[in-house]
Amino acid sequence: MRLARVGQAAIAMAVCAIAAGACARRGPEHAPGTVQIDIESSPTSTDPRFATDAISSRINELVFDSLVRISGDGEFTGDLAERIERPDPTTIVFHLKHAVQFSDGRELTSRDVKFTYDSILAPGSMSAKRAGMIELAAVAAPDDYTVVMTTRHPYAPALELGLQGVVPVGTPLPAESIEAAPPGTGPFAMRSYRRDESVTLVRNPYRTTPFDGAREILFKVVPDPTVRALELAEGICNLSENNLEATVLPWLERHRALAVSNTPGTTYRYLAFNFHDSRLRDLRVRRAIAYSIDRAAIVNSMLRGTARLATGMLAPESWAYVGDVMSYGYDPAKARRLLDEAGYRAGRDGMRALRFEFKTTPEGARLAEVFQAMLKRVGIRLEVRTLEWATYYGDIQRGNFELTSLQWVGIEDPSYYYMVFDTAMAPPRGSTNRGYYSNPEMDALVEAGQRTLDPAARKEIYARVQKLAALDLPYVSLWWVNTVAVLDRDLRGFEPYPNGSLRSLAEVTLAAPGGAEPAQ
Amino acid sequence: MIRYLIRRVFALVPVALGVATLTFALIHLVPGDPVVAMLGDTAAPADLAGMRHQLGLDRPVLAQYASFLAGLARGDLGESISYRQPVARLIAERYPATLELAAAGLLVAILIAFPLGFIAGAKPGGAGDIGAMGFAILGISVPHIYLGPLLMIVFSLDLRWLPLTGRGGIAHLVLPALTLGTALAAIVARMLRQSLIAVSSSDYMRTAIGKGLSRRAALLRHGLRNALTSVVTLLGLQLGGLLTGALIVEMIFSWPGLGRMLISAINARDYPLVEGCVLTFALTYVVVNMATDAVYAMVDPRVSLK
């Protein structure tokens, strides 16, 4: 009798739940013609003058155009600029396209460009972009369609300065603005920004929309990777890029409505050494570590083929790439020999008097354990220290580590070699040469690379840089991470970029959900 | 009672001060730097220093503490370092979502716990008791991080009754609230059972049964109200657990609440925002416990608040 009542209560609750659920299914989550993309966290800023994180960049480049842009094959191409001149080594002249309009109808002129750069360069701007523009001395607007940039020194990677998204003159600082985002000249305009929930983009009314092109893009914040996978499987989400776990890819591949795209990327993962450690200053020890890591096995099993074995920081997509450099295949016997030569003989248990601390974040802990097991095979003990991100990052930037593994994202120009390997960029003066690597030959090369404007001569310099880096091994090059996108088969025309850009969303069309589950 | 409440409100001041001080000390003690987190890899040391100066982070910690307290006294929580917006505005944006979730979780807990606890307590050792307490053990044992996705798969993916994630209408609230409320329901059900068993042997119950009421009716009319005191205490105390549980549930269900903002603030070492969030959580906890005391007086005439 009592149990019967429990049963009744349970049925009543279930009916309530069905009723509530039925109500929820009636209102569609987004309109037809909307592409939903799940992202792992909110963009930190919708103002391109301030945003530096990857998600903000991905979204902002759909809303804001810049003077130049990086194409799918890694080349600089004009965006707002139709023509670029370099009359002398410290001057770049950008001739702007005419009749370009912001999403509020205003026409773009050189004054908008100058305003954008000036508001970043202002000493009190508190923009994280300022540091990257340290070489930029001034931006002038001699007429409505000409922008002249002057650099402090002859500066080879100067075109990178033109990658800044442009906002209209007079745009207030984010804290003083009530708009979702400033207007831009890009294919989309931001309609709403709800922190930690979603970002909605609509078409820029002053730009021609391709026939059938997606009318709206909804970026929905879904922090849990399993839930992102579920939303794709369910047809709620149409696209997820570079934010799914490799282990769920085979499961997603089995869904007929989904396509998994796994294409080369430029994000570079490396193992870093600290050169303040005398044991690691010994090239034989560094090489032994390189030989004892079975990169191919990691890429094939743990990463499920979503990466390419790297020869250096620059990926083959770069114009300056050189592939015939010293490489380190998996060779534990060679590693043992090198360690013996370096004076670290194995004890009776096969272990040597070599113990390193390997710092990592919780996300990197699995990889760290793989390294630990692989180094143990040659007699090196690795102590894995897992730290929360901010603590870890602080330690790495101060050079407070022995071994660690990190990645560089968005390597477009070989001038990054200067930041990463030049003696002057080591802490405390800089923070990007975190392992205190110092080699006069490398310094001379990367400094020359910064000043040399002639493309052929630059290419030659960076060929030598890449060969030297592989020989001298300040980093063990691990792999280049692929761009992995899982998308709805109804989504046509999506082109993955090596750097993860979503720029092709301007051209995609979303076929009517024929047969597929309509978006919930 | 009014005077009592006024006194309690004044007692909030030292609590708030303590929480604020502790949070301030902890977040400044742990390594990590908001400016480095914000400006990133490539920032020049001069820019880092400049920004530290602009934010006042280069001043002695005690001076920073003093101005933090001065702001607090004026009701000013400062400006978030990473969002560049007033902390109070950010919290006001997110707090309703967390409160909504916690309240729904509490409601679910009560809705599940009361029938279960009553069934179990009415006839200890019976089939209802064994079933209800079995459920209670299960509820306590299954972690949110597992229960959440499980409910999603069953109710959203297989049965398609409910939306998967996000905040919207009542339907969006059902799964997160169930996830959050189940564990609490289990604890409360056990507590209610114990209290009911305890009051069953009291004189007034024997009198009521002697006057012809059935055992169940006597429990319902006289026993339950007396058993409630301990349950209300428990609910008040467990609210802290509900708020911290909400943190995980917010992550799983993409719920735009305060917990998620706190986590990202901690990662960015956004000092003012961390302080604001923790203070909000702490004050919620204290206020709810104050309210619990007031509820005592209502359910139990023997308790008078002075």
Side-chain angles (χ1 to χ4, degrees):
Chain A
M1 174 67 189
R2 225 169 260 141
L3 279 175
R5 290 216 181 161
V6 179
Q8 281 166 11
I11 290 166
M13 273 173 64
V15 170
C16 290
I18 296 168
C23 296
R25 298 253 319 153
R26 242 170 262 147
E29 214 162 79
H30 53 251
T34 300
V35 176
Q36 181 180 324
I37 301 172
D38 282 0
I39 48 179
E40 59 271 39
S41 61
S42 248
T44 55
S45 175
T46 56
D47 187 321
R49 294 172 296 172
F50 295 92
T52 48
D53 63 293
I55 291 172
S56 302
S57 313
R58 292 290 91 91
I59 296 176
N60 286 343
E61 67 188 353
L62 293 169
V63 177
F64 305 95
D65 287 327
S66 43
L67 291 170
V68 294
R69 182 164 297 288
I70 305 221
S71 66
D73 49 11
E75 296 281 334
F76 284 102
T77 53
D79 193 15
L80 290 172
E82 62 180 1
R83 202 154 47 81
I84 301 160
E85 289 169 47
R86 302 194 75 168
D88 64 68
T90 57
T91 309
I92 320 144
V93 182
F94 298 93
H95 297 280
L96 303 185
K97 287 176 189 160
H98 289 234
V100 174
Q101 282 171 292
F102 285 102
S103 57
D104 62 358
R106 272 183 278 179
E107 200 199 335
L108 172 112
T109 69
S110 57
R111 285 189 302 278
D112 301 305
V113 179
K114 180 175 162 50
F115 170 81
T116 301
Y117 282 87
D118 285 350
S119 56
I120 294 169
L121 293 174
S125 78
M126 296 229 285
S127 166
K129 296 271 181 94
R130 221 177 132 224
M133 297 188 182
I134 208 90
E135 278 294 324
L136 184 58
V139 179
D143 66 56
D144 275 2
Y145 300 103
T146 310
V147 174
V148 180
M149 281 190 189
T150 322
T151 57
R152 294 179 205 282
H153 312 97
Y155 185 53
L159 277 183
E160 287 206 332
L161 295 171
L163 287 171
Q164 172 59 44
V166 174
V167 296
V169 72
T171 301
L173 295 175
E176 291 146 17
S177 170
I178 48 157
E179 301 292 324
T185 56
F188 293 94
M190 195 168 294
R191 189 176 64 192
S192 75
Y193 169 50
R194 292 190 296 165
R195 201 186 318 279
D196 277 351
E197 284 186 73
S198 64
V199 175
T200 314
L201 305 185
V202 292
R203 284 283 171 180
N204 176 347
Y206 295 91
R207 272 182 65 146
T208 43
T209 301
F211 180 71
D212 265 3
R215 273 184 301 246
E216 275 188 33
I217 312 267
L218 170 73
F219 288 95
K220 185 173 158 199
V221 182
V222 179
D224 189 274
T226 311
V227 177
R228 286 196 293 273
L230 290 177
E231 292 212 341
L232 275 166
E234 197 50 7
I236 297 171
C237 161
N238 306 106
L239 170 71
S240 243
E241 192 186 74
N242 293 344
N243 61 14
L244 293 165
E245 285 167 347
T247 43
V248 302
L249 293 177
W251 180 73
L252 288 171
E253 252 162 4
R254 286 202 295 275
H255 286 76
R256 242 179 282 154
L258 295 177
V260 176
S261 137
N262 183 10
T263 53
T266 51
T267 295
Y268 168 69
R269 182 164 274 281
Y270 60 90
L271 182 80
F273 300 115
N274 191 328
F275 283 74
H276 273 183
D277 187 308
S278 58
R279 301 166 298 170
L280 289 169
R281 273 204 297 274
D282 188 331
L283 178 60
R284 291 168 298 192
V285 173
R286 299 200 298 277
R287 284 190 173 164
I289 290 174
Y291 280 124
S292 49
I293 295 176
D294 191 351
R295 298 180 294 152
I298 298 176
V299 167
N300 290 333
S301 57
M302 193 177 143
L303 304 179
R304 312 222 172 212
T306 59
R308 292 177 294 169
L309 295 190
T311 52
M313 189 159 69
L314 289 181
E317 285 67 35
S318 165
W319 57 268
Y321 170 76
V322 169
D324 60 332
V325 299
M326 172 108 173
S327 68
Y328 301 84
Y330 177 54
D331 192 344
K334 204 166 189 173
R336 286 189 202 102
R337 213 162 48 239
L338 282 164
L339 291 171
D340 285 345
E341 280 169 33
Y344 300 102
R345 303 220 152 259
R348 221 172 283 145
D349 57 350
M351 300 307 287
R352 300 160 202 271
L354 268 184
R355 178 192 290 270
F356 294 108
E357 194 183 66
F358 185 96
K359 286 192 177 168
T360 183
T361 58
E363 292 75 38
R366 252 183 88 208
L367 184 60
E369 282 160 15
V370 172
F371 289 152
Q372 188 180 42
M374 287 178 171
L375 291 185
K376 195 177 167 205
R377 290 184 204 155
V378 302
I380 298 174
R381 279 199 183 84
L382 211 57
E383 231 172 83
V384 176
R385 284 251 290 152
T386 308
L387 303 169
E388 166 265 351
W389 168 251
T391 311
Y392 169 78
Y393 194 51
D395 274 359
I396 300 302
Q397 284 214 317
R398 277 193 301 277
N400 178 18
F401 66 95
E402 289 175 359
L403 287 176
T404 193
S405 172
L406 261 171
Q407 50 192 27
W408 287 112
V409 182
I411 303 293
E412 311 288 1
D413 191 275
S415 63
Y416 276 85
Y417 272 109
Y418 169 79
M419 280 175 28
V420 173
F421 293 147
D422 194 86
T423 307
M425 299 308 277
R429 274 192 293 167
S431 59
T432 40
N433 177 2
R434 297 150 174 169
Y436 303 95
Y437 176 62
S438 180
N439 177 344
E441 193 186 345
M442 182 64 90
D443 289 353
L445 283 170
V446 293
E447 283 160 27
Q450 291 288 93
R451 290 187 309 266
T452 308
L453 300 187
D454 173 47
R458 263 192 110 203
K459 193 169 168 141
E460 176 53 34
I461 289 171
Y462 286 112
R464 288 172 62 195
V465 167
Q466 289 168 79
K467 285 180 180 165
L468 180 60
L471 275 177
D472 206 27
L473 223 57
Y475 283 171
V476 177
S477 292
L478 297 173
W479 48 79
W480 298 296
V481 182
N482 283 1
T483 299
V484 178
V486 178
L487 61 153
D488 214 312
R489 286 194 193 275
D490 291 329
L491 192 69
R492 310 265 158 76
F494 176 74
E495 291 286 338
Y497 277 51
N499 64 5
S501 167
L502 296 175
R503 192 66 182 170
S504 73
L505 286 176
E507 322 300 333
V508 298
T509 58
L510 190 61
E517 164 74 4
Q520 189 179 358
Chain B
M1 170 121 171
I2 303 283
R3 276 178 58 194
Y4 169 81
L5 283 180
I6 291 173
R7 232 181 29 240
R8 285 291 296 266
V9 170
F10 275 107
L12 279 181
V13 176
V15 172
L17 195 69
V19 169
T21 306
L22 209 62
T23 317
F24 184 90
L26 279 177
I27 188 82
H28 281 84
L29 269 178
V30 293
D33 181 338
V35 174
V36 168
M38 189 156 86
L39 291 188
D41 284 332
T42 52
D47 274 334
L48 293 174
M51 184 168 235
R52 254 180 223 121
H53 180 70
Q54 217 162 357
L55 294 168
L57 295 172
D58 55 348
R59 294 181 304 152
V61 173
L62 277 180
Q64 290 183 50
Y65 176 62
S67 53
F68 166 62
L69 284 188
L72 211 56
R74 289 192 309 269
D76 177 10
L77 291 171
E79 189 172 290
S80 152
I81 297 175
S82 45
Y83 293 117
R84 294 151 194 269
Q85 285 188 357
V87 169
R89 192 202 293 173
L90 290 169
I91 290 179
E93 246 176 61
R94 310 293 291 274
Y95 191 47
T98 293
L99 272 191
E100 183 183 313
L101 183 58
L106 198 64
L107 188 69
V108 165
I110 291 172
L111 285 181
I112 299 177
F114 275 59
L116 282 188
F118 191 80
I119 290 164
K123 195 179 174 194
D129 183 27
I130 292 168
M133 287 307 106
F135 172 83
I137 292 288
L138 201 69
I140 297 171
S141 320
V142 177
H144 293 146
I145 199 103
Y146 178 75
L147 183 61
L150 197 71
L151 290 176
M152 273 181 185
I153 289 170
V154 174
F155 290 101
S156 186
L157 297 190
D158 288 347
L159 298 174
R160 313 208 159 204
W161 289 350
L162 295 165
L164 201 55
T165 60
R167 185 179 179 216
I170 303 268
H172 282 89
L173 196 55
V174 174
L175 291 185
L178 269 178
T179 311
L180 193 60
T182 312
L184 180 58
I187 300 170
V188 174
R190 287 182 70 87
M191 180 58 119
L192 185 62
R193 172 182 181 268
Q194 287 317 100
S195 311
L196 283 174
I197 293 172
V199 298
S200 316
S201 56
S202 53
D203 293 344
Y204 60 80
M205 283 289 293
R206 257 200 307 275
T207 311
I209 294 169
K211 283 166 85 179
L213 276 178
S214 73
R215 186 181 148 76
R216 174 189 286 261
L219 261 185
L220 206 56
R221 280 196 214 154
H222 304 285
L224 192 58
R225 187 164 170 182
N226 282 292
L228 274 183
T229 331
S230 54
V231 173
V232 170
T233 316
L234 183 74
L235 281 175
L237 287 174
Q238 284 294 327
L239 190 94
L242 213 56
L243 289 176
T244 46
L247 218 123
I248 297 165
V249 173
E250 282 173 12
M251 294 300 277
I252 301 171
F253 288 95
S254 315
W255 192 263
L258 202 57
R260 264 169 72 196
M261 192 159 77
L262 174 60
I263 291 178
S264 58
I266 292 172
N267 280 332
R269 294 290 187 268
D270 190 335
Y271 297 149
L273 193 54
V274 172
E275 282 147 7
C277 290
V278 174
L279 207 57
T280 309
F281 277 130
L283 288 182
T284 309
Y285 190 68
V286 175
V287 167
V288 164
N289 277 287
M290 210 165 84
T292 315
D293 289 350
V295 172
Y296 278 162
M298 283 189 265
V299 297
D300 189 344
R302 285 167 304 182
V303 176
S304 73
L305 303 175
K306 275 182 191 143

